[in-house]
Amino acid sequence: MSESIACAQAVIGQLLAQGLTDLVLAPGSRRAPLALVADAAAREGLLRLHVRVDERGAGFLALGLAKASGRCVPVVTTSGTAVGNLLPAVMEAAHAGVPLLVLSADRPAALVGTGANQTTEQLDLFAGFLRHRGRVSSTAAPASWAAQAARAVLAAGGDLSGVPGPAQLNLEFGLPLVPESGQVAGPASRRAVRAGRFARPEPTALAGRPRTVVVCGDADPATGRAARALAEEAGLPLVAEPSSNARSGANALATGRLLLAGPLGRQVERVVVFGRPNLSRPVTALLARAGVEVVVVAARPDYVDPGWRASLVAGAVSVEPGPGDWLDAWRAADAERSAGLAADTDGALTGPELARIVVGAVPPEQVLCLGNSNPIRDADLAPVRPDPGPVYANRGLSGIDGTLATAAGVALATGAPTTLLCGDLAFVHDVGSLAIGPGEPRPTLRVVVADDGGGSIFATLEYGQDRFAESFERVFATPTGLDLVALATGFGVPARRVATAADVTAALAEPWSGLEVLVVDVDRSGRADEARRLTD
């Protein structure tokens, strides 16, 4: 048997023992041992294999699978530039704490620096972003192959460190890559390497009854539930971002970020923070404000502290119930502000109105994904639902790259119908992720594209001022001029353009299977004025 095949069998066999259920594979020659063993394992029903032709999309597909499942998901590439295309997904995984595992095939180390084809220094590509990196050689002691795989999974999952995130195994395969004859068998069963579990922390009691709010940023469902439970048990207002998985219940505020910038926000004396809040300037300003006690609830040592003002970091806290009039004031202000937003929905369909429709249309047994820039910010002002399903977004670094691939991974991991709301630039940026080959597992994913002809978020920032008008369209809005319906149908994906709020509502009520794209025309002409009204 080829040593390279034996090495691949040991690595994938150990990954299966560690709980691997999905593996994403990109094309190439040097990764042939991994590809053949993974294919054999998939045909034996040991794992679910996903093949993608583009490494960047493959990386984000693995990220979405890992984000929604909570399990480590490997992505396999061949050597050379193929590995470099994973950097955006690795960066997002590092900041969001997602257990992504890079299996980068390589040539033997002795060939690095010799000019050998597709050979470079692959272990330094993700410097600063990995929880672990290991070098696996097909010529090393066979016992090292499986041990390295187990170590990488434990590191990516944060089982020992408490800090989940990306890991890399660089697999140096020597020739021959395949046996001289016969088929390649799947991996043999192996014994898992287990890590001891950390005890649940006892809540730290917070003294006194200062005017307190609970803030929850991007978070997994368990963290979101903890934030909501604390707010409800203590009778505190809850400012929860759309992907916090805490934005429900009587204490959650639909317009919390706007209220923080007003008179009530100026009265806050303490804030209890969950998740990764980074969506709005009023929240980050609150966390940086002098005189505000900042308490961070975190299960990881790399806790958030954007204002450098955290005075307590704990795994859990308990809070004395706040005065009833404090919560009542926030609820009343939220109701008034929400009514004002609802009154501004006449005329052409806007991004905020589209977000309200989409957020309200996804039933609790389904999943919602949100693209970055304006879609998630528009969803942040949508009415709070009493019964939302899980919500996911890439808020580690908040990029628009990999939006479609991540949502596809989420849909495949959950097995639930999933709706993605994204902008037209995010759609075009990742449209290649619609290329899913025949026979591949296909997500039930409906993509709703807010097509406002460019990056309208920039109109709400400093660059949207009249003094930059001559430059704005070309260098900030960057419209593509593409027919998005034709673009999607070119990938064989059913697509149609929807124009009115009533038509969008009707389309979202229709059942669907597989991939579907709804392109919705939205008006961005009033974005700058709207942003000014919201901050008045």
Side-chain angles (χ1 to χ4, degrees):
M1 178 188 294
S2 159
E3 286 182 333
S4 292
I5 290 292
C7 177
Q9 288 173 328
V11 167
I12 292 181
Q14 192 63 46
L15 295 180
L16 291 170
Q18 300 300 136
L20 173 147
T21 59
D22 291 84
L23 183 145
V24 182
L25 180 70
S29 174
R30 188 57 53 161
R31 90 327 178 216
L34 291 168
L36 291 170
V37 175
D39 181 58
R43 283 186 281 108
E44 293 174 20
L46 300 177
L47 61 80
R48 185 168 56 164
L49 181 63
H50 311 265
V51 180
R52 296 294 187 272
V53 298
D54 171 55
E55 288 85 6
R56 187 182 69 187
F60 278 102
L61 175 66
L63 179 102
L65 286 161
K67 179 189 286 282
S69 69
R71 293 186 295 268
C72 180
V73 175
V75 54
V76 176
T77 74
T78 199
S79 62
T81 58
V83 191
N85 282 302
L86 297 180
L87 179 59
V90 169
M91 294 171 69
E92 174 66 25
H95 287 273
V98 177
L100 177 70
L101 176 59
V102 174
L103 299 180
S104 51
D106 203 354
R107 283 155 173 73
L111 295 180
V112 176
T114 67
N117 187 39
Q118 291 188 354
T119 304
T120 188
E121 290 285 359
Q122 296 184 177
L123 271 179
D124 294 331
L125 288 174
F126 309 123
F129 298 108
L130 296 175
R131 305 295 189 257
H132 171 78
R133 63 176 185 172
R135 185 189 299 274
V136 179
S137 172
S138 63
T139 61
S144 70
W145 300 334
Q148 288 269 38
R151 184 185 295 265
V153 173
L154 293 176
D159 294 67
L160 297 174
S161 67
V163 188
Q168 180 189 10
L169 286 181
N170 197 62
L171 294 112
E172 301 167 359
F173 292 131
L175 299 176
L177 297 176
V178 298
E180 293 184 1
S181 62
Q183 300 296 312
V184 173
S189 61
R190 308 190 69 90
R191 180 179 299 175
V193 176
R194 298 299 182 191
R197 296 296 178 186
F198 294 99
R200 287 180 63 90
E202 287 296 320
T204 299
L206 303 184
R209 300 178 71 195
R211 290 186 289 267
T212 301
V213 297
V214 178
V215 168
C216 190
D218 181 71
D220 58 73
T223 300
R225 288 192 296 270
R228 174 182 170 178
L230 180 72
E232 293 179 351
E233 290 166 4
L236 300 174
L238 171 61
V239 180
E241 293 180 5
S243 61
S244 66
N245 289 289
R247 193 180 169 91
S248 61
N251 294 49
L253 307 170
T255 62
R257 82 168 193 240
L258 305 181
L259 301 180
L260 285 178
L264 276 174
R266 289 190 285 274
Q267 297 178 44
V268 174
E269 297 171 321
R270 179 169 65 195
V271 55
V272 182
V273 183
F274 291 79
R276 185 183 178 86
N278 60 8
L279 185 61
S280 69
R281 292 184 178 183
V283 169
T284 54
L286 171 67
L287 299 180
R289 196 168 80 205
V292 173
E293 178 188 1
V294 177
V295 176
V296 178
V297 180
R300 295 161 42 182
D302 59 338
Y303 57 89
V304 299
D305 189 12
W308 302 110
R309 298 200 54 80
S311 59
L312 172 66
V313 181
V317 298
S318 62
V319 184
E320 291 185 42
D325 57 351
W326 175 243
L327 177 59
D328 291 343
W330 284 87
R331 284 174 170 165
D334 186 50
E336 180 180 358
R337 200 68 193 265
S338 295
L341 293 178
D344 292 336
T345 59
D346 294 334
L349 184 62
T350 64
E353 185 177 4
L354 176 61
R356 285 193 285 272
I357 295 171
V358 172
V359 169
V362 178
E365 68 273 12
Q366 297 184 12
V367 178
L368 175 63
C369 290
L370 296 169
N372 284 314
S373 295
N374 270 331
I376 193 168
R377 287 173 171 80
D378 291 339
D380 194 37
L381 297 177
V384 172
R385 291 188 49 170
D387 58 346
V391 183
Y392 295 95
N394 281 343
R395 296 302 300 171
L397 286 179
S398 310
I400 64 168
D401 45 347
T403 301
L404 302 184
T406 302
V410 168
L412 287 165
T414 61
T418 299
T419 298
L420 165 67
L421 173 63
C422 68
D424 55 301
L425 293 187
F427 179 80
V428 171
H429 199 288
D430 195 30
V431 71
S433 290
L434 296 180
I436 302 176
E440 293 300 314
R442 299 183 72 84
T444 300
L445 174 63
R446 172 180 276 158
V447 181
V448 181
V449 185
D451 186 5
D452 56 9
S456 61
I457 189 172
F458 299 113
T460 69
L461 303 175
E462 295 83 350
Y463 335 112
Q465 297 174 15
D466 291 342
R467 58 196 174 111
F468 301 121
E470 290 187 5
S471 304
F472 182 82
E473 277 298 304
R474 185 179 185 189
V475 301
F476 288 105
T478 60
T480 65
L482 295 172
D483 182 340
L484 304 188
V485 171
L487 193 59
T489 55
F491 283 92
V493 176
R496 54 184 158 144
R497 189 170 290 274
V498 187
T500 69
D503 290 342
V504 173
T505 301
L508 293 176
E510 298 173 3
W512 87 102
S513 61
L515 279 167
E516 176 183 274
V517 174
L518 302 178
V519 180
V520 184
D521 295 311
V522 297
D523 182 13
R524 67 173 164 97
S525 61
R527 273 290 185 182
D529 291 338
E530 176 194 45
R532 283 190 287 270
R533 286 197 306 273
L534 291 177
T535 56
D536 286 345

